[in-house]
Amino acid sequence: MTLTQLRYIVAIADAGLNITLAADNVHATQSGISKQLKQLEGELGFQVFTRRGKSLDAVTPAGGQVLERARSILHEARNIRALAANLREEAHGELSLATTHTQARFVLPDAIARLKQHYPDLGVHIRPQGEGRIIGSFESGEVDLVIVSTSGHAPEGGIAVPLFRWYRRAVVPHGHPLAKLGRPLRIQDLAEHPLVSYESSLLPESSLRRAFAAAGHAPRIACTSADADLIKTYVLAGLGVGILAEMAIGAGDARELVTLDIDDLLPVCTSWLVLRRDHVLRSYVAQLARFVAPQIDEAELRRVVAGHAEPNWPVPPLWSELQQRGTRRVASRAA
């Protein structure tokens, strides 16, 4: 029995018993996987999968038990490799992460650049996705970690580490009626205009819809996008009032857009780093977490991820506070 055989049967199960797809996922040949499966079943003395003609039909009861243990063994094998790499202080590897377009575009560039300075041989693969697909890609094993935001409870599916809190902003072109109000905005003001916002605003449970409903209104969503730059583009095209994360608004946007404070209208959001449980944390992952959120204690993070401690995270700072710290850091380096 080999780790390769165990990896193949798990790949078959994860591919819905489609050997061709499983072979593609593990970069093997279909005949190679079939041969290893036959050898493993011969050693076990029973079938892991039942057959219907030449196709696999279902996982046998005994096969289900084998798969459960195979996943545990493969998990620990990955932990041993990670531990060995940390002990050797290896500076190379592959890191894949899923997050929103906003986080990928406006939050991560500086942190990834600093990470690459410490680990120049590290390959970083960023997969921008819509909010609803991020956790799914993590649970399926497509990525190593995710950064996702919520306006309420922590995301499920792994160990959720709070990074920072942020507010949304409304943006309108210069000359827009809302830019001339001369008073704080109310939900009623926003309800009188079509909105351009994130795709998540379409969900019935979205915090934007809940805030409108609490004030007795319903938002008029004219256009949605997962990309904050596209939201600004369509606001300038006259489709409506933009609602987007404060991180996505830069100094250069003031040439064409007016940014309006809506902190009191919509709940604060929290960005979370979600990691796998009971893992040996690679050094570059812990470093990335620190670069995004300096308040995180690396030793505590390692203990929690390894299952040796319960999480007791500090209150995450506001994004504006992190930006001020970053400005001071740059200024001190320049001095």
Side-chain angles (χ1 to χ4, degrees), residues 14 57 60-61 91 93 98 103 121 124 140 190 248 259 267 328:
D14 289 345
D57 184 51
T60 65
Q103 302 282 350
D121 297 323
V124 181
S140 67
L190 295 177
T259 301
R328 288 196 296 268

Side-chain angles (χ1 to χ4, degrees), residues 60-291:
T60 65
Q65 297 183 50
V66 171
L67 282 166
E68 181 180 353
R69 287 160 176 78
R71 292 184 189 278
S72 297
I73 292 169
L74 293 172
H75 170 79
E76 286 306 318
R78 287 191 293 268
N79 276 344
I80 291 171
R81 293 191 189 100
L83 176 63
N86 285 344
L87 292 174
R88 292 194 302 267
E89 298 184 350
E90 286 187 357
H92 65 269
E94 300 291 327
L95 174 63
S96 61
L97 65 95
T99 189
T100 63
H101 289 76
T102 295
Q103 302 282 350
R105 168 73 173 81
F106 300 101
V107 175
L108 288 177
D110 179 65
I112 296 297
R114 294 172 66 190
L115 185 69
K116 289 288 288 182
Q117 290 175 356
H118 288 75
Y119 299 92
D121 297 323
L122 174 67
V124 181
H125 311 287
I126 303 171
R127 300 186 183 183
Q129 299 178 1
E131 288 275 5
R133 295 183 289 274
I134 294 174
I135 292 297
S137 65
F138 176 72
E139 292 176 337
S140 67
E142 297 175 40
V143 295
D144 301 313
L145 58 89
V146 300
I147 296 177
V148 66
S149 298
T150 70
S151 60
H153 298 296
E156 299 179 349
I159 295 173
V161 185
L163 300 175
F164 59 88
R165 293 170 295 144
W166 53 273
Y167 287 100
R168 280 161 281 194
R169 297 284 184 264
V171 292
V172 295
H174 287 284
H176 190 279
L178 292 184
K180 304 174 183 178
L181 278 181
R183 59 169 173 78
L185 287 182
R186 299 190 295 257
I187 288 288
Q188 180 182 346
D189 299 320
L190 295 177
E192 293 173 354
H193 295 271
L195 303 181
V196 184
S197 190
Y198 295 111
E199 293 174 344
S200 58
S201 300
L202 295 173
L203 301 174
E205 67 273 17
S206 77
S207 57
L208 184 143
R209 288 187 177 276
R210 293 199 306 269
F212 271 69
H217 297 281
R220 295 161 53 197
I221 307 295
C223 180
T224 65
S225 174
D227 188 327
D229 285 327
L230 284 179
I231 291 175
K232 288 183 279 188
T233 296
Y234 284 99
V235 168
L236 289 171
L239 270 70
V241 176
I243 305 292
L244 70 171
E246 62 176 304
M247 302 88 74
I249 301 172
D253 292 319
R255 290 192 297 268
E256 299 179 301
L257 295 169
V258 176
T259 301
L260 304 173
D261 189 320
I262 53 173
D263 290 2
D264 294 333
L265 305 185
L266 301 177
V268 66
C269 297
T270 301
S271 288
W272 307 82
L273 171 67
V274 184
L275 301 167
R276 303 194 188 284
R277 299 181 185 277
D278 302 321
H279 264 58
V280 174
L281 193 67
R282 288 300 302 265
S283 297
Y284 49 73
V285 175
Q287 192 80 284
L288 176 62
R290 286 272 298 157
F291 287 152

Side-chain angles (χ1 to χ4, degrees), residues 27-42:
H27 309 292
T29 64
Q30 183 175 344
S31 60
I33 284 190
S34 297
K35 180 180 178 181
Q36 292 295 324
L37 172 60
K38 185 176 181 180
Q39 289 179 353
L40 177 61
E41 289 181 328

